[in-house]
Amino acid sequence: MMDQALWRAWVIKNHLTLDPSPQTRSLSGAPCLDYSLLELIEPASFDIAAMRALLDGHNVPERDWLFGLMTQSKLFNPRRVGSRVFVAPDYNQSMEQQRELTMRRIKFLLEKGVVDGWLTRGTVEEELRKFALQEVADIYDHSLAIKLGVHFFLWGGAIQFFGTERHHVKWLRDTENYVVKGCFAMTELGHGSNVRGIETVTTYDPRTEDFIINTPCESAQKYWIGGAANHATHTVAFSQLNINGINQGVHAFIVQIRDADGNICPNIRIADCGHKIGLNGVDNGRIWFDNVRIPRENLLNSVADVSPDGEYLSAIKDPDQRFAAFLAPLTAGRVSLAVSAIYSAKIGLAITIRYALSRRAFSVAPNQPEVLLLDYPSHQRRLLPLLAKTYAMSFSANHLKMIYVKRTPELNKTIHILSSAFKASFTWHNMRTLQECREACGGQGLKTENRVGHLKGEKDVQSTFEGDNNVLMQQISKTLFAEYLAARKRNEPFKGLGLEHMNGPCPVLPQQLPSTVLRGGQFQVDAFRVRERDLLNRFAEEILQRQARGERKEHALLSSYQLAEDLGRAFSDRCVLQNFVEVEENSPAGSLRDMLALLRSMYSLTCMEEDASFLRYGYLSTENAAAVRKEVAKLCSELRPHSLALVNSFGIPDAFLSPIAFNWVEANSWSSVQH
């Protein structure tokens, strides 16, 4: 201990001494740092291509095709740094320049056939292809992905799902070919997550068979509408529909906002939302409607219609059920955001872990080389649990996409709840991951060209986009409470949402947790089920007790927000683990399956360590919680030799990472500056 203390004191003295000794001043014993190709010193122990196939899930050749198109086109800003070429937008450009380049890139994708069939071929295969190519666009630039998403998933999706054949025939082909440029006007200045509260009002004039859409007050202006500020020609406007003095609730209408020459249409006012902390390639705008007249046929009428003489028609008489049916198709946006968050976390981790495998800091003994960052246990602890979580969530993102593209009316509730849970959990995970990666890269993490820090600003919006994450968690718990009440009222078992485990006896967790138990899949699944079951029971009992004391159900739900958020996370974590176990079980025995088992254990035990519910409600004793913590540290050391192979399995081409992921000495050399 004394020798170690003296050594550390010597190191600190040499750092701080202004007039070092001649021996310290000499460079002969301290050669310059150099870079070694990581793949030569960190070989893979499993099949990287097979792991990538599991992670991407589908359409790997199409993904690589689009990566290649982008890499080869000057439109995607290829830039040589040292001996490598990287592609990334130039974020030093003005907001206006970024917006115009985003549209030029979309035109390029259109010409190359990337978006062919995105709206006009409704097969499962085509929907998966659309997701895959959208994900590649997002790896390049979030603005590009959002512009595509607004046009195809939101505007185009609204036409597909809210409209009927007359709308499909008139709008879908022109939307796919960008003859029509669409946007999606739901959010207002005064209402975001609370869609039912929006204030835009539409009435009907039977004499002319027109709808009249109006912005009655400033808080009703449409806000944050992607595409509205510069490029969109049409929008789907969400509005309260008032027929003969009766409010029939929120409906969607097609409204033209610009002509073919880009001129704003009469009785439409548009303003720019201005510069943002990210996504400046997206022209977010604000829209006011001043008694704009639109044809009766512009009501998207799959759920409800208005006859020529002004009669309101809908097969769904209950307003709540009508509203739910109306919003059910919008889950595509949340599915896309959940997936986007995971690919962003992959970028951050791939860059940061590669950097940590070549960057050194401090020696632990005299005359010894400095230590690689990732050989420090503390650095492993910062990054490798996040890596395991990213793997786990990637498998669940694929599961969500698969049930979405194969959706049936019976699956609508499951898709809605899973997309809400995963969107919230995955976007929170992404922001935490990017922050940790930014710090783990030190000063290099601040450089825009190294992507990690800049991605934080680009992806921050996802925490509130398509629903505030905290609100979504409470919605999930509210749905689980409804399932609880329904099962209790009917005296029938739980069915759906993975809650069938509630029907059997509650698992009993072992009191002693050696490593073999902690790493067992059954123990991990049991622990997650115990937590979810108990939290649902506690949440239901608390609400029912509040109601018994005279509180209204809505107030009781709001007052129980802490349990609601705990339950929402428990539901999401259990679903993620369940999907991970399925992927692992379907993989053939061998090194890849062994690696999945390590990652699954890291994911499960990290969740147990981080969620205070396990201690708060006694699912783990303090001794067992300490055992979990120690096991996570062991798993870090076991995953460390595989870290490079694990991030290479993400399948992100080198050109889409950043200079510090490779030879950062060369990238920062004087010759690179001159070049």
Side-chain angles (χ1 to χ4, degrees), residues 515-532:
S515 180
T516 51
V517 173
L518 285 171
R519 298 192 187 198
Q522 191 59 55
F523 162 73
Q524 294 161 11
V525 170
D526 285 348
F528 279 40
R529 287 176 172 176
V530 165
R531 175 181 54 157
E532 184 183 23

Side-chain angles (χ1 to χ4, degrees), residues 443-454 667-668:
Q444 292 294 335
L446 293 177
K447 293 186 71 174
T448 302
E449 73 171 6
N450 288 328
R451 300 207 67 185
V452 178
H454 186 81
N668 287 280

Side-chain angles (χ1 to χ4, degrees), residues 18 102 108 189 209 220 226 256 284 342 363 498 502 512 542 636 652 665:
L18 295 178
T102 300
F108 171 88
L189 178 62
E209 297 188 13
Q256 185 168 359
N284 294 93
I342 296 309
S363 302
M502 299 276 291
Q512 303 296 321
E542 182 170 312
C636 284
I652 302 171
V665 176

Side-chain angles (χ1 to χ4, degrees), residues 162 186 195-196 238 250 322-331 416:
F162 298 156
M186 177 181 281
V195 177
R196 295 187 86 157
F238 288 79
V250 176
R322 194 161 62 232
F323 181 73
F326 191 65
L327 292 187
L330 296 182
T331 51
H416 170 67

Side-chain angles (χ1 to χ4, degrees), residues 5 31 70 248 265 270 312-313 377 476 518 558 593 597 644:
M70 291 178 169
Q248 299 292 351
C265 294
I270 294 177
Y312 183 77
L313 307 168
I476 294 159
L518 285 171
L558 292 174
R593 186 169 179 173
L644 179 64

